[in-house]
Amino acid sequence: MRQFLARHQTPVLLIVALAVIAALTAVIGADDIQVTLTEMLIRVTVVVGLYVFIGNSGIISFGHIGFMCIGAYAAAWATAEPSFKGIMLQGLPSLLQDNQFPFPVAMAGAIILPALVAALFGLAIMRLAGTAASIATFAFLIIVNSVYSNWDSVTAGVSSIIGIPTVVGPWTAFWFAAAAILAAYLFQISRFGLLLRASREDDVAARASAVHTIRMRLAAFVLSAALVGAGGGLYAQFLGILTVDPFYLGLSFITIAMLVVGGMSSLTGSVLGVVVVTAIVQVLRVFERGIPVGGTTLALPAGSQELGLGLLLAVILIFRPNGLSRGWEMAVLRSGPAKATDGAVLLTSDPNTLNAR
Amino acid sequence: MIQFIQNLIDAVALGSIYALVALGIGLLFGILRLINFAHGDMITIGCYALIVPSADVTAHLLIGGWTPLAVIPAIAVIVVAAALLTEALVFRPLRRASSPTLMIASFAVSYIIQNGILIAYGARPKAVDFWSGANTQVMIGDLRIPMLQLITLTVTLVLMVGLSLFLKRTSYGVQMRAAAEDFKTAQYLGVRGNVVIGLAFAISGILAAAVSLLTITQSGSLTNTMGVPLALFAFVAVVIGGMGNLVGAVAGGFLIGIVLTMLQAYLPPELRAFRDAFAFAFVILVLLVRPSGLIPARNIIERV
């Protein structure tokens, strides 16, 4: 039992840490803190989703925010007021147009639709490698953005979808973040995850050892799209109003920044990145709003929050290119007997040591 | 027929702008394996350098009001300085970093520049009246040829020929090509890495400066993210043209210009709003058929 816990402690610890944060939020109860932390927990789901693909495959994807957009709209289609949908979204099938579905149905849609799109799109692009793959995901983001901001009868175009029930608070967001962490961990220690990591380290050697790189990548791509899509669904039902604008380059940048700041080769890194970046952005936001100093208010000009984030990312890339976590996974228990065996065996048998680069 | 030729002229003019941007991006990619997102923001810097820094909506020309013979070198110097600065502060410390790390770093640089401009100039878009005299048209029979498109095409050709002469005929050019071929071996043979990389950034700065003057003359408006779409389309041009070779970058740039213009002209009206979606779907298609681009570079193929 102890060994089982020691072996799989990382996701448990991460989930406990987030639970503490969610509980503190509930105790403090102040509205703006609730909003900030709910948003943070939603981003954990999104960034962990990004990590499942980027962290395991080593391919940078700029397109995942497109899946978030798809997930958010799927949830909005299911839950927005039928009266609104009847007027503004006449292109929707009547099943969606005339009914208002509960939260679980909406979330199922927000998970399944992006996963389907990822499976189709992934089948096409997963055989591309490196930069070509990154550019293809970029193209995907632009395609999603172009389609969703112009398909007026289904997405309300550039105007917004309103009347989405706001049912997501810190605890709902927490449960989804926890589920995302668990899913990411299970994938990471699965045969697929291990083989994919092997191909990340040395594609040629992995292929030579009969690893179907493309199949592994596709599995990671679909799972990560599903998680990011779930994040989108949560986001829609957290805000209650939805437009296409936020799901573009800015959000892509911030989520990738979170992953890089935390360290993109470990699960702990992806969660840590979200927490650290959220904290920093929050501090900068306070300064931007202004701090009263003896009668006058000293405020940073608008844009300094983003500028600070950009500088932070650049500094971390230069001084800690592997992120704050450097591939480290959170652990308090020592995994006992396994350490005693031959180091070479340990390297191949314990999935966690693969993370230490 | 006339309409088609007209579309073709527009396509080539748009394509030549993308080709210029793609050249600047492709040059750095060839030597450093750096996909420089911040190249678009170099173009933005060139445009904003024309006006007085202020948060007013109406922009006042400062450098932009000088005679063309003074404006062109001044803007070139400013953009080149900015490009060299990003190299010294961010890309030099990261020289041994992997390609994805470099790409993310350039994303960060781009974000810093965009928001730096936002702080200095305010968030509102600005209107600028810069060389608007160039926006006249020449009629050849039934064909309408905007003066600016002729200028754009000429500038593109001159810069392209100039760059290729520089790369083929001068000692520095030969060193740059050697570095692009195999950076380590070139260094062992006496090519100074810092000089060559600095030079590449400087040349990409000059190309960006040219694009910024051409763009601002045509559009007459300034926003802090104006360079982003140009850079996006140019990346795609570099990738589908064949990464790591300049002919490919230029060909890709023209191809993107032609595809966009033709989609705009010949898509059924109800689908025209989805032009970018079609263009990028085409890009993915090209990548699927030729993953290493239309004109693959020899030195980029992985040898095992």
Side-chain angles (χ1 to χ4, degrees):
Chain A
M1 181 64 198
R2 191 192 135 82
Q3 206 193 332
F4 178 83
L5 262 184
R7 202 177 229 286
H8 302 295
Q9 59 184 317
T10 303
V12 179
L13 289 172
L14 289 173
I15 291 170
V16 168
L18 289 182
V20 170
I21 293 176
L24 278 178
T25 323
V27 172
I28 298 169
D31 270 358
D32 53 335
I33 293 179
Q34 294 239 356
V35 166
T36 306
L37 286 177
T38 309
E39 207 170 353
M40 186 189 93
L41 289 164
I42 293 173
R43 288 207 171 148
V44 169
T45 310
V46 172
V47 175
V48 165
L50 268 182
Y51 159 77
V52 168
F53 181 70
I54 298 180
N56 291 316
S57 76
I59 298 171
I60 306 288
S61 163
F62 294 100
H64 272 67
I65 295 307
F67 295 122
M68 193 176 171
C69 180
I70 294 174
Y73 272 87
W77 289 331
T79 59
E81 286 277 346
S83 54
F84 173 82
K85 288 190 280 194
I87 299 165
M88 293 293 290
L89 308 176
Q90 287 172 346
L92 282 180
S94 58
L95 177 71
L96 278 174
Q97 216 181 106
D98 304 335
N99 296 299
Q100 191 167 23
F101 293 98
F103 177 69
V105 176
M107 287 309 293
I111 291 167
I112 293 167
L113 188 61
L116 283 178
V117 174
L120 282 176
F121 177 66
L123 268 180
I125 69 152
M126 282 305 123
R127 57 197 205 87
L128 298 175
T131 315
S134 294
I135 293 293
T137 61
F138 223 131
F140 174 73
L141 178 65
I142 295 170
I143 291 173
V144 170
N145 190 269
S146 167
V147 169
Y148 274 70
S149 52
N150 289 298
W151 199 2
D152 295 353
S153 63
V154 172
T155 63
V158 286
S159 46
S160 44
I161 294 186
I162 52 167
I164 306 165
T166 51
V167 294
V168 173
W171 284 110
T172 321
F174 162 74
W175 286 115
F176 275 92
I181 289 171
L182 217 55
Y185 183 73
L186 289 176
F187 179 79
Q188 179 173 320
I189 60 168
S190 73
R191 191 169 158 271
F192 274 49
L194 274 175
L195 293 177
L196 188 57
R197 281 172 168 254
S199 82
R200 178 190 75 186
E201 298 304 323
D202 191 338
D203 194 20
V204 175
R207 273 172 208 262
S209 322
V211 174
H212 289 279
T213 314
I214 296 173
R215 204 182 294 166
M216 306 304 152
R217 275 188 199 151
L218 186 61
F221 196 63
V222 171
L223 176 61
S224 81
L227 295 176
V228 172
L234 291 172
Y235 188 71
Q237 285 175 293
F238 159 67
L239 284 180
I241 180 167
L242 194 60
T243 53
V244 183
D245 288 352
F247 303 104
Y248 206 43
L249 297 173
L251 191 57
S252 291
F253 174 76
I254 290 180
T255 46
I256 290 174
M258 286 172 168
L259 192 58
V260 172
V261 166
M264 56 181 158
S265 56
S266 82
L267 183 56
T268 307
S270 60
V271 178
L272 187 70
V274 179
V275 176
V276 170
V277 171
T278 305
I280 290 167
V281 166
Q282 215 49 37
V283 170
L284 287 169
R285 207 174 271 169
V286 169
F287 279 111
E288 216 175 72
R289 235 179 265 145
I291 295 172
V293 179
T296 55
T297 314
L298 286 180
L300 295 174
S304 29
Q305 174 206 324
E306 287 83 2
L307 188 75
L309 188 59
L311 286 174
L312 169 83
L313 184 66
V315 167
I316 287 184
L317 281 171
I318 291 169
F319 293 105
R320 279 189 90 132
N322 293 326
L324 294 175
S325 73
R326 282 185 174 154
W328 167 80
E329 294 285 16
M330 205 173 183
V332 285
L333 294 171
R334 285 173 60 92
S335 43
K339 286 264 190 253
T341 56
D342 180 21
V345 177
L346 186 69
L347 259 180
T348 49
S349 65
D350 184 353
N352 291 322
T353 51
L354 260 181
N355 304 322
R357 293 230 276 162
Chain B
M1 191 59 201
I2 288 288
Q3 189 54 44
F4 178 75
I5 297 174
Q6 184 73 58
N7 289 335
L8 208 60
I9 293 171
D10 294 344
V12 169
L14 184 65
S16 61
I17 288 270
Y18 290 138
L20 272 185
V21 186
L23 258 184
I25 289 170
L27 194 64
L28 291 184
F29 184 85
I31 294 175
L32 277 173
R33 297 289 172 270
L34 159 68
I35 297 244
N36 191 11
F37 274 92
H39 190 74
D41 304 287
M42 293 299 139
I43 296 167
T44 316
I45 288 180
C47 293
Y48 271 89
L50 291 166
I51 63 170
V52 184
S54 81
D56 300 341
V57 183
T58 40
H60 299 284
L61 292 174
L62 180 68
I63 295 178
W66 300 351
T67 62
L69 275 180
V71 174
I72 295 170
I75 295 300
V77 166
I78 290 172
V79 179
V80 166
L84 290 176
L85 204 64
T86 62
E87 196 270 328
L89 293 180
V90 178
F91 297 121
R92 186 171 302 181
L94 283 172
R95 201 162 286 169
R96 282 146 168 255
S98 66
S99 187
T101 311
L102 277 172
M103 186 154 67
I104 293 173
S106 76
F107 221 35
V109 171
S110 158
Y111 206 64
I112 292 170
I113 294 174
Q114 282 169 25
N115 289 291
I117 288 175
L118 192 79
I119 291 174
Y121 289 89
R124 277 181 296 187
K126 292 169 194 294
V128 165
D129 180 26
F130 177 72
W131 290 355
S132 49
N135 286 320
T136 52
Q137 300 190 340
V138 184
M139 297 298 290
I140 301 177
D142 286 337
L143 283 179
R144 154 188 66 77
I145 303 176
M147 222 16 220
L148 191 61
Q149 296 194 349
L150 282 181
I151 297 174
T152 304
L153 209 55
T154 315
V155 170
T156 306
L157 288 177
V158 167
L159 284 173
M160 266 164 31
V161 170
L163 182 60
S164 72
L165 283 181
F166 171 81
L167 288 175
K168 293 224 167 93
R169 296 286 162 82
T170 66
S171 146
Y172 282 117
V174 173
Q175 290 184 29
M176 275 174 81
R177 284 194 296 145
E181 198 75 29
D182 186 339
F183 195 77
K184 274 208 188 101
T185 312
Q187 274 189 309
Y188 292 140
L189 295 174
V191 170
R192 281 167 301 166
N194 283 342
V195 173
V196 167
I197 289 173
L199 214 57
F201 270 92
I203 294 173
S204 83
I206 291 173
L207 292 167
V211 175
S212 61
L213 292 177
L214 292 168
T215 322
I216 193 68
T217 308
Q218 190 178 19
S219 74
S221 70
L222 288 165
T223 63
N224 69 327
T225 53
M226 60 188 293
V228 174
L230 277 173
L232 272 185
F233 285 115
F235 278 129
V236 170
V238 171
V239 175
I240 60 175
M243 289 182 289
N245 92 59
L246 297 180
V247 181
V250 171
F254 279 108
L255 184 66
I256 289 285
I258 291 167
V259 167
L260 281 173
T261 316
M262 292 304 167
L263 282 174
Q264 182 73 33
Y266 295 111
L267 270 181
E270 65 271 20
L271 290 180
R272 214 163 277 170
F274 300 102
R275 183 193 70 169
D276 288 1
F278 281 101
F280 282 89
F282 170 77
V283 164
I284 293 177
L285 216 66
V286 171
L287 284 178
L288 289 176
V289 181
R290 303 201 63 142
S292 43
L294 297 173
I295 309 172
R298 270 169 301 131
N299 55 331
I300 209 137
I301 299 163
E302 200 173 332
R303 275 174 285 244
V304 181

